[in-house]
Amino acid sequence: MSAAGIAQYVARALGFAGAVCGIRMVIRLARWAATGGRPDWRRELRRLLQTGYLAALTEIIALRGGPGAVRALQPVPLRTTLEELRAGAWPFAYHVAGNMIWFVPLGMILSRRRTIWQTLAIGAAVSLGLEAMQWMLGTGVSDVDDVLLNALGALLGAALYQALRGRSKT
């Protein structure tokens, strides 16, 4: 995929995330108005960013602009990754780095309250759920390599978070 194609994916994901965040804020504001509660704005901002990230991730992996005609399953580990390696440096880098990078923030979010191994398991479960949604909607090829690389991205995010925090939580 070209840089322009990546930019289109990101722009569409950000638009979807913005809409989801807008809906979340309307609901939260209505709740505060009804209960007379005072929001913890730092916590609300953190949760809003997390909501936006998860919405963007869902759009990029599973929604991709709506249902399509591609409903395929690739269950053989490393088949796609090795095919991308044979295709050249850019397809391989896009496949491996792209799948991992999208899940680094999830690993950082999860590792605030979980061990690295719990983060890895949850990252794999989230990826598996999104790949299943992708298959059900027919928006792409659900690939076991994507699940493995996404889970590694979550693990990398957890390790990065812990390194930045200067502590080890295993």
Side-chain angles (χ1 to χ4, degrees):
M1 176 174 288
S2 68
I6 294 170
Q8 285 178 331
Y9 264 133
V10 171
R12 193 171 55 238
L14 289 175
F16 182 74
V20 169
C21 286
I23 292 168
R24 183 186 190 282
M25 282 308 299
V26 167
I27 292 168
R28 296 295 291 162
L29 290 169
R31 181 174 176 223
W32 294 324
T35 63
R38 292 187 80 185
D40 174 353
W41 289 109
R42 280 185 65 170
R43 186 172 133 200
E44 289 301 321
L45 178 60
R46 185 174 62 244
R47 287 190 176 170
L48 188 65
L49 290 172
Q50 291 170 355
T51 299
Y53 162 71
L54 291 172
L57 192 63
T58 300
E59 205 289 327
I60 286 169
I61 294 173
L63 300 179
R64 296 181 183 206
V70 177
R71 179 173 287 148
L73 181 64
Q74 199 303 96
V76 180
L78 300 178
R79 176 182 282 173
T80 303
T81 302
L82 293 174
E83 287 173 2
E84 297 295 349
L85 179 61
R86 284 189 288 273
W90 172 248
F92 178 74
Y94 175 77
H95 171 70
V96 173
N99 275 296
M100 290 176 69
I101 288 169
W102 291 118
F103 274 71
V104 168
L106 181 65
M108 295 179 82
I109 291 166
L110 292 172
S111 67
R112 292 187 70 225
R113 292 203 162 90
R114 290 172 179 81
T115 68
I116 281 183
W117 305 115
Q118 289 170 329
T119 299
L120 176 66
I122 294 169
V126 168
S127 177
L128 185 61
L130 290 170
E131 290 291 322
M133 184 188 288
Q134 180 184 60
W135 181 81
M136 288 186 289
L137 294 173
T139 56
V141 177
S142 298
D143 193 325
V144 67
D145 287 7
D146 292 349
V147 174
L148 296 172
L149 292 168
N150 294 162
L152 286 175
L155 182 65
L156 179 62
L160 180 61
Y161 178 83
Q162 290 180 9
L164 292 172
R165 287 291 195 190
R167 60 186 166 123
S168 178
K169 184 176 164 186
T170 56

